[in-house]
Amino acid sequence: MIASPTPTTTGPARAVRKAVVPAAGLGTRFLPATKATPKEMLPVVDKPAIQYVVEEAAAAGLDDVLMITGRHKRAIEDHFDNALELEQTLAAKGDTVRLDAIRDPARLAAVHHIRQGEPLGLGHAVLCARRHVGDQPFAVLLGDDLIGPRETLLSRMLDVQGRHGGSVVALMEVPEDQIHLYGCAAVAPSGEDGVVRVTGLVEKPAPERAPSRYAVIGRYVLDPAVFGVLERTPPGRGGEIQLTDALQELAADGTVHGVVFDGPRYDTGDKGEYLRTVVRLACERPDLGPAFTSWLKEFVAGLEDTGGRSVTRDSEDPLAA
Ligand code: UTP
């Protein structure tokens, strides 16, 4: 099931209209699939990951999306554009279902593209959006990070930003032995359920140096002041200009809030998590789910019968020594 592109915004009009979707990383964890295809274009069931992200932005009322692309710009640009030849062929066949499916991405929002010349880090990718964004707060949605399609995380973040100003990050509690994989937030109570004040941020800390188990996940609503900070942020961890480092400076000024999220979230840039995402979303699909789920149950039962080994006999396995 996909997020509805119908805006869920209620109450007074929000200041935030623009979303920035960084999609210029090298995707090295997913090589060789990402040698010539951006990881954001890998299919999750039958849509590229980045389409779910744009659907989420549209569902939260953001109608202007800027993609930060890298060397594989073309595939992303084409996906969010019209495909006249394909449309004519499907129209001639009267295949309205597929016709709608290929038209949907271009209808979600006004999609713009800008190239990050070199993948110098997420902070640098966000800085590339400066001219397009101007001096209004804006959302950032990482192009390989999916939030459960029925969740309203982004709308909650936009509401918090509307009430408090400043910047808002999304936080998820993770086990202690995983915090070194994320940016980590030091937090203080805000007096509001599910919302904290962020007093500090550190990128991928060793567990003993982590100020909490709150990991920063790939949704942000940022004050445009972040651009001035990013401009003077030196390369940090991994030699990359880190968004977390710039946000740390804003957090020290007391202008960053965190919205705590405990729903489903998938990092499709990680092979294992990508596989789990495809399986879960396929099971939830009304058209594919029932047949796929019954196959999956049989498959898992087969694995259990063989003690977790593949059901292929070793003699048939081309990879067996
Ligand atoms: P990741 O760290 O997940 O992307 O960045 P990566 O560098 O491609 O990952 P691996 O480790 O090599 O597999 C999070 C998001 O920021 C974007 C990525 O495309 C992803 O959506 N990003 C990262 C940029 O747009 N530019 C960059 O320079 C770095």
Side-chain angles (χ1 to χ4, degrees), residues 39-305:
K39 62 177 167 179
E40 292 81 3
M41 285 299 292
L42 294 177
V44 175
V45 189
D46 55 4
K47 291 185 292 190
I50 199 166
Q51 185 173 334
Y52 292 85
V53 172
V54 176
E55 284 169 354
E56 183 191 336
L62 307 181
D63 53 14
D64 182 300
V65 175
L66 178 68
M67 304 283 179
I68 313 291
T69 56
R71 57 203 174 98
H72 312 306
K73 178 187 168 84
R74 191 64 197 279
I76 296 178
E77 216 172 59
D78 284 351
H79 187 73
F80 290 96
D81 197 359
N82 296 318
L84 288 182
E85 204 178 315
L86 201 48
E87 286 179 31
Q88 280 163 4
T89 308
L90 293 171
K93 287 184 182 167
D95 190 343
T96 51
V97 174
R98 290 193 177 91
L99 192 55
D100 269 346
I102 64 159
R103 282 178 173 161
D104 277 348
R107 292 171 177 158
L108 288 168
V111 180
H112 310 270
H113 305 267
I114 191 168
R115 209 155 178 159
Q116 182 187 16
E118 258 186 283
L120 298 178
L122 177 58
H124 180 259
V126 170
L127 186 55
C128 293
R130 185 177 202 166
R131 187 179 294 208
H132 183 87
V133 164
D135 59 2
Q136 292 296 314
F138 62 104
V140 173
L141 295 85
L142 300 193
D144 60 346
D145 212 343
L146 303 197
I147 297 295
R150 282 179 294 276
E151 302 295 329
T152 54
L153 170 65
L154 189 56
S155 285
R156 284 172 59 209
M157 295 174 73
L158 291 166
D159 281 340
V160 170
Q161 201 281 335
R163 284 184 285 112
H164 296 283
S167 298
V168 182
V169 295
L171 300 176
M172 197 160 181
E173 226 172 327
V174 300
E176 196 180 330
D177 63 355
Q178 283 179 27
I179 197 70
H180 69 283
L181 301 170
Y182 298 88
C184 175
V187 300
S190 74
E192 194 180 325
D193 244 12
V195 180
V196 291
R197 289 191 303 111
V198 175
T199 56
L201 284 156
V202 47
E203 182 65 19
K204 300 193 170 83
E208 63 278 9
R209 304 198 57 186
S212 75
R213 291 204 283 119
Y214 282 119
V216 178
I217 57 169
R219 298 293 180 271
Y220 308 80
V221 181
L222 299 178
D223 187 282
V226 74
F227 293 128
V229 181
L230 280 170
E231 236 179 7
R232 52 185 156 75
T233 299
R237 216 189 148 87
E240 296 190 342
I241 298 174
Q242 299 287 356
L243 181 59
T244 308
D245 293 344
L247 289 176
Q248 157 59 24
E249 191 173 321
L250 298 179
D253 293 341
T255 60
V256 180
H257 283 82
V259 169
V260 179
F261 180 66
D262 60 5
R265 172 255 170 190
Y266 314 95
D267 173 7
T268 63
D270 173 84
K271 284 181 202 174
E273 217 167 307
Y274 171 83
L275 293 173
R276 289 190 284 276
T277 311
V278 173
V279 170
R280 283 184 68 156
L281 294 191
C283 288
E284 286 174 13
R285 280 271 295 257
D287 53 344
L288 301 168
F292 181 67
T293 308
S294 56
W295 171 83
L296 191 59
K297 282 181 184 157
E298 266 178 48
F299 179 70
V300 172
L303 286 182
E304 279 161 6
D305 289 347

